[in-house]
Amino acid sequence: MKKSSLVVLGALATAAVGQAAEPYPCDEATGVLAFPQFANPVCVNATSGGAVNEPVAINVAPTTVAVPEGQDVVDVFQVYDGEFIAPPALQYSSQYSWPAPTDPNSLVIREWVGNFSYDPPKAMPITYVNAPDPANEIKPAEFSWVLDGDGMAVGAKIEDRVFDALPTDILPQIERYHWQISGLPAGTEITYTKVVNGGVHVPAVPEPATPTLFGLASIGCLFSRIWRRR
């Protein structure tokens, strides 16, 4: 059994589909801590529903996380209890909200899907709004800011975005989702929801050997550069 699954199973005993799971500081079992560029990452366990060869059904109820103290960036890893692929097509929607109206031009929003069970781990960037380098910008047509009457951002959303297939040379199958928002003050509470449907569940990729896992930290910087380049 994958180490991330050990973490997930306990939470899933009390968190059914559509119910909010309790965010927690990512621990070693998730694999996230091997990448030191993510300071104080937060993990959220989520059920992807169904057995092998059945469709994905993810419904994350409103879940609130806070920008860590001393930071202006928050990284949230949504860890699934199963792995899945597309085709069939995957459709997802995400929504984020925060209480303090903020100039949308000062915010950076990123999303990835990935799988830490590969050696090296794999990730695919799917959103990068207000990228410092315009060459890295990934602003899907389905993305929009949620604005107040003064044109300030109080949230963002991606509605009904569809992936007909995963580029298997980059990411053969998904076992987690990662979002990042930077530019909000420390302590700001961000509430998010996510819905994913379609695709199909597949057997989990065998987990790398334990020595390899301990060695992941050494490739953390390389992994970050790959994300930025793509």
Side-chain angles (χ1 to χ4, degrees):
M1 181 179 293
K2 294 171 54 185
K3 289 188 177 181
S4 57
S5 298
L6 295 176
V7 178
V8 171
L9 291 176
L12 292 180
T14 56
V17 174
Q19 293 180 324
E22 187 69 24
Y24 62 94
C26 296
D27 55 27
E28 290 184 1
T30 64
V32 177
L33 298 186
F35 300 92
Q37 67 267 32
F38 304 126
N40 302 309
V42 175
C43 281
V44 177
N45 295 332
T47 178
S48 53
V52 172
N53 297 324
E54 292 186 357
V56 175
I58 300 165
N59 184 2
V60 178
T63 302
T64 300
V65 299
V67 180
E69 292 301 322
Q71 296 181 206
D72 66 351
V73 59
V74 59
D75 284 282
V76 176
F77 290 81
Q78 186 171 292
V79 184
Y80 299 126
D81 61 335
E83 301 188 15
F84 49 90
I85 61 171
L90 279 167
Q91 177 175 299
Y92 87 96
S93 297
S94 298
Q95 183 151 347
Y96 311 88
S97 62
W98 47 84
T102 305
D103 179 359
N105 295 316
S106 69
L107 299 173
V108 177
I109 292 184
R110 305 181 72 177
E111 296 182 300
W112 297 264
V113 286
N115 195 317
F116 280 6
S117 295
Y118 289 92
D119 184 13
K122 296 180 180 290
M124 183 176 78
I126 54 178
T127 300
Y128 196 175
V129 177
N130 290 338
D133 181 351
N136 294 326
E137 183 87 357
I138 307 173
K139 188 175 183 180
E142 299 86 350
F143 174 89
S144 62
W145 296 104
V146 178
L147 303 175
D148 65 9
D150 297 320
M152 304 294 277
V154 291
K157 59 184 177 180
I158 296 173
E159 294 186 289
D160 299 328
R161 190 176 182 191
V162 176
F163 289 92
D164 291 326
L166 294 176
T168 55
D169 58 326
I170 298 173
L171 182 66
Q173 56 200 70
I174 296 170
E175 59 97 34
R176 70 186 64 212
Y177 162 69
H178 171 199
W179 62 265
Q180 179 189 85
I181 297 179
S182 59
L184 292 171
T188 300
E189 291 190 338
I190 303 170
T191 298
Y192 86 101
T193 63
K194 187 172 183 68
V195 175
V196 183
N197 291 291
V200 64
H201 284 93
V202 293
V205 175
E207 186 181 15
T210 300
T212 302
L213 282 175
F214 282 117
L216 287 178
S218 65
I219 65 168
C221 292
L222 173 62
F223 193 33
S224 180
R225 289 198 298 272
I226 291 172
W227 283 350
R228 289 197 296 270
R229 184 170 68 250
R230 293 200 178 276

